[in-house]
Structure formats: C-alpha cells, structure tokens
Amino acid sequence: MHDGSHSQSAARPTSCRNIMTGMSLPVEEPYWRRNLAVCMFGSFTTVVAMTLLLPFLPLYVEQLGVSEHAAIVQWSGVAYGATFFTAALVAPLWGRLADRYGRKLMLIRASLGMALAMTLIGVAQDIYQLVGLRLLAGFLGGYASGSTLLVATQTPKARSGWALGTLSSAIMAGNLAGPLIGGALPPLIGIRNTFFAAGAVIFVAFLATTLLIHETPKPRTAPPRQANGADWKHLVDHRPVLVMWVTGMLLMLANMSVEPIITVYVAQLVQDSAYVTMTAGVVMAAAALGSILSAARLGRLADRIGHWNVIVACLAVAAVLLIPQAFVTAGWQLVLLRFLMGLSLGGLLPCIAAVIRHSVPDGTAGRMLGYSVSAQYAGQVTGPLIGGWIGGQAGMHWVFLGTSALMAMGALGNLAISRSVRNAAGHTSDQRPSLPA
C-alpha cells in the first residue's frame, strides 16, 4: 500500500485494485481495527452503566423516599424501563443525524451524554428525579447502536460479519457484567459512588472515542438534497430491511419473554429454596455467556456462507432448543439448554445489521439501522409483558412452547424471503459483496 508521499498517479492503481475486489478504500485499512477496539470498550462500559443498577435499584428507590413494598416494585420497574423507552424513540433520529453529520460525532455525543446522565443519577434526591434522569440517559445514549453503525460502514464488507460479531460480544458482555458489577460495588463504595464511578469510566470512553476513532469521510457524489432523497421509497427491494426489523424484534422478544418467569420456574426445579435465586441468576447468565462465545465465530461464518443462511439456521436451532426447556426436571438441564440457545442466537444481531447495511445506500444506513434498534427495543419491552401474561394465564411451559413457535415462523419467513430476494436479484449467494461492473 502506498503512503502519502507518492504521487496521485501512483495511488490510482491501488485504489482501482481495491475497487475491483469490492473492498473499502485504502484509507480505511489502518483504522477499522482500532475503531472496532474503541467501540467495543465504549459499548461495554455504556451497557454496563445501563444495567448495573438492577441488583440495587429497589434499595435506591427506597432511599429516595418510597416506602411501601408495592410502590417500590412499581417505581423500580418504571425507572428501569424508562431508559429503554426513550432510547427506542430516538434511535432513528440519531441514526439519521449520523448519516448527515457523521457516525463518530454521534458516538462522542452519546458517550459524553451518558457520562453526564450517570453522574447526575448519583445525586438524585427523589424518585421523580431518578425516573427523569433515566429518561434522559435513554435520550442521550445510543453508543452501542451507534457503534454498530460505525463498524458496519467503516469495516471492509468481507470482514463486516466478524467485526459486528466481535462488537456484539462486547455488548452482550456488558449485559452480563452489569448486574454482577452492580451487585459487588455498592457494598464497597456505596450506591451513589457506584453511579459516579460508572460516569467516570464512560468519560474515559468519551476521550478514547474523541481521540482514537477515525471515520473515513465519504466523497460527495450528489448534492445534499439528492443524497438525502435516497431514502425508503428509493430502495429497490424493501423486503430485506423489513424482515430484519421483524427478526430483531422477534429475537429480543424471545430472549425477554422468559425473564419474568425464570425465578418462579426455577423454584419448581430446585429443592432447596436457598439456591433458587442463585440458580436463576446462573440460568440468565448462561444464555448471555453462550452468545458472547459464539457471536464472532458465527459472524465470521456468515462472511463465508452468507448472513441470511446463518440467520435461518440460528432461528431454527433456537426453536428446537426451546421445546425441551418446557419439560426440564432439574436446574442444570435448564442451564445447559439456555447456554446452547445462547450459542445459537449469538450470531443473529450482527447478521441482522450486516443484511441491512448491505441492502441500503450509505446515505440511509444510519436511519435504517436506527429503526432496527427501535424494533429490538420494542421486543425487549413487549417480551416480558407477553411472557408474564402467558405464564400466569396458561402455565409457564407454554411460554417456552409459544416462543419456540415464533422462532420457527421467523426461520421459515426468513428462508422464504431470502430465496425470493436471491431469485429476483439473480444471485447465487445472499448478502455478499459482489464485483462491481
């Protein structure tokens, strides 16, 4: 690869060779791995900050003046869900602004905003301030989804599945580590200082994002209005994007539908009541651990065989693994099955992002991925509601069986649409970079 001291005519053959291979321009090559590393750190810390309050949230709500048990439970649910509610609403907005003003700028905004919000949560004086600041955290946040967009657009397409899978592992690791850190820190430094510490770590991510991430500027090939006009109505085929939105929502719904019933379900399997909560925690962690281990590997596999093929296989395997979960007789059986299910689902989010990224123009990638994030948040919110209602009305085993049916329908739907899209496009493999004419 030539350096900047060579003449423009010497640089042209290198650029042409990259164009002929369908790879990114040479200027991206030195930076995309460093971008990935910074995005992994920033996503991990911000996700930890959003989830670390789970173990001590009721205690903090009580400290803020809520005394009745029922009120503590209700306000804890409102405070926790507030962040995801506003995050779902503004995700398309941040994606659209990222398309217009740059993805790095949105990451700087999100990291600085989250550092500020977490620090302010540590000085909340009543429950209304806590809920308001949690709403603010969701509004200002979005680092993980913004990282997905930057990595998807700044990584060579032939490596996008692996890169997105690696980033997804960091995000899921944050979901796993957040409650563990939230359980360990408050006894040592106090609840308020835990929020201050989280804000300080996110501020480090803000500095790393500002100083280390490099976003390759896109050449302007059209006037701004014309470029911005390449939106939804200009897509040649809407089906891949629509199906990925539904698949993302389905994935989160499947993951979250069993959350309300896990502890009660485990209580039926474990003889000693003292081990119920510990076993329930292990069950929840097992699925996350499986996803962490498999995300990058499945992403790399998707780069070779096609992202849609991996999506269909993951959904089908998860549908099969959900059936025996309804009939387990011991806690270790549920732990094993949830771990295997986590392994099967680990590749879905990076593959969903890759399919959307490869199906839309660069100028609308942020907006479309933003809508995808909103759909996933919708599944995250509705999953526990549906699972809790079905578990209470029809029995807990029907939650697993119903979720299995949804995953199976998702696999069949993706299979049908992917074949139709391939036939229409005349391609022999789905969502792979093709040689330009």
Side-chain angles (χ1 to χ4, degrees):
M1 187 175 295
H2 300 287
D3 57 28
S5 62
H6 287 261
S7 66
Q8 185 177 4
S9 61
R12 275 183 191 142
T14 304
S15 299
C16 290
R17 282 196 296 271
N18 280 286
I19 292 173
M20 287 301 293
T21 57
M23 299 293 287
S24 303
L25 294 174
V27 69
E28 293 182 10
E29 291 297 332
Y31 298 107
W32 72 268
R33 293 181 184 274
R34 189 173 71 190
N35 289 349
L36 175 60
V38 175
C39 286
M40 288 175 64
F41 173 73
S43 297
F44 175 81
T45 55
T46 53
V47 171
V48 165
M50 292 179 69
T51 58
L52 62 76
L53 81 169
L54 270 174
F56 61 82
L57 180 57
L59 300 177
Y60 196 40
V61 169
E62 189 173 11
Q63 285 184 15
L64 295 177
V66 181
S67 56
E68 295 183 4
H69 176 73
I72 290 174
V73 173
Q74 292 170 1
W75 278 113
S76 297
V78 171
Y80 184 69
T83 295
F84 302 102
F85 174 73
T86 50
L89 293 179
V90 300
L93 170 64
W94 296 139
R96 184 170 185 172
L97 292 178
D99 288 333
R100 182 174 299 178
Y101 299 111
R103 284 89 190 204
K104 177 180 176 179
L105 182 62
M106 290 299 103
L107 293 184
I108 292 173
R109 173 204 56 76
S111 53
L112 182 60
M114 280 292 292
L116 177 64
M118 291 303 297
T119 303
L120 290 176
I121 288 175
V123 298
Q125 298 300 309
D126 58 48
I127 187 61
Y128 301 106
Q129 291 182 10
L130 174 61
V131 173
L133 289 169
R134 288 286 292 176
L135 288 169
L136 180 67
F139 177 79
L140 295 178
Y143 192 99
S145 57
S147 294
T148 300
L149 175 58
L150 186 135
V151 170
T153 55
Q154 296 291 300
T155 302
K157 285 189 176 182
R159 303 299 302 276
S160 63
W162 172 82
L164 289 168
T166 304
L167 176 62
S168 181
S169 294
I171 295 172
M172 287 180 281
N175 280 307
L176 178 62
L180 298 178
I181 295 173
L185 277 185
L188 299 176
I189 64 175
I191 289 178
R192 293 186 184 273
N193 286 333
T194 298
F195 288 114
F196 297 153
V201 174
I202 298 175
F203 188 76
V204 174
F206 158 73
L207 294 177
T209 300
T210 304
L211 300 175
L212 298 179
I213 283 184
H214 175 86
E215 182 178 7
T216 304
K218 295 179 299 183
R220 282 192 182 274
T221 57
R225 290 189 179 182
Q226 183 178 346
N228 291 335
D231 55 9
W232 176 256
K233 63 179 178 292
H234 290 86
L235 293 181
V236 176
D237 193 343
H238 302 82
R239 292 173 299 171
V241 177
L242 285 173
V243 171
M244 290 305 105
W245 290 350
V246 174
T247 302
M249 182 176 65
L250 182 64
L251 168 63
M252 290 302 175
L253 191 151
N255 275 334
M256 301 301 296
S257 64
V258 300
E259 292 295 323
I261 69 165
I262 283 291
T263 303
V264 180
Y265 194 51
V266 167
Q268 300 178 357
L269 305 174
V270 178
Q271 299 296 327
D272 191 343
S273 59
Y275 293 98
V276 169
T277 55
M278 182 183 70
T279 305
V282 173
V283 169
M284 295 179 188
L289 178 61
S291 295
I292 292 170
L293 295 176
S294 69
R297 292 174 174 84
L298 288 174
R300 186 181 293 113
L301 177 64
D303 287 334
R304 293 202 309 267
I305 69 172
H307 301 104
W308 233 325
N309 294 329
V310 172
I311 290 173
V312 172
C314 287
L315 289 172
V317 172
V320 172
L321 289 172
L322 277 162
I323 296 174
Q325 292 178 45
F327 305 104
V328 294
T329 57
W332 67 267
Q333 297 172 355
L334 187 59
V335 170
L336 177 61
L337 289 169
R338 295 298 291 179
F339 175 74
L340 294 175
M341 183 172 166
L343 286 176
S344 69
L345 295 178
L348 278 181
L349 285 181
C351 286
I352 288 170
V355 170
I356 294 175
R357 171 67 188 91
H358 297 161
S359 301
V360 300
D362 285 345
T364 57
R367 198 184 317 174
M368 297 306 159
L369 285 169
Y371 285 125
S372 177
V373 172
S374 294
Q376 292 164 26
Y377 279 130
Q380 198 166 4
V381 172
T382 58
L385 298 177
I386 295 174
W389 185 83
I390 293 177
Q393 297 294 321
M396 285 176 284
H397 65 283
W398 282 108
V399 178
F400 295 99
L401 296 177
T403 305
S404 173
L406 287 176
M407 300 295 270
M409 287 189 290
L412 293 174
N414 273 272
L415 179 62
I417 296 298
S418 65
R419 287 181 174 177
S420 176
V421 170
R422 281 185 232 177
N423 292 335
H427 292 165
T428 57
S429 60
D430 67 319
Q431 300 304 327
R432 285 170 152 182
S434 58
L435 295 177

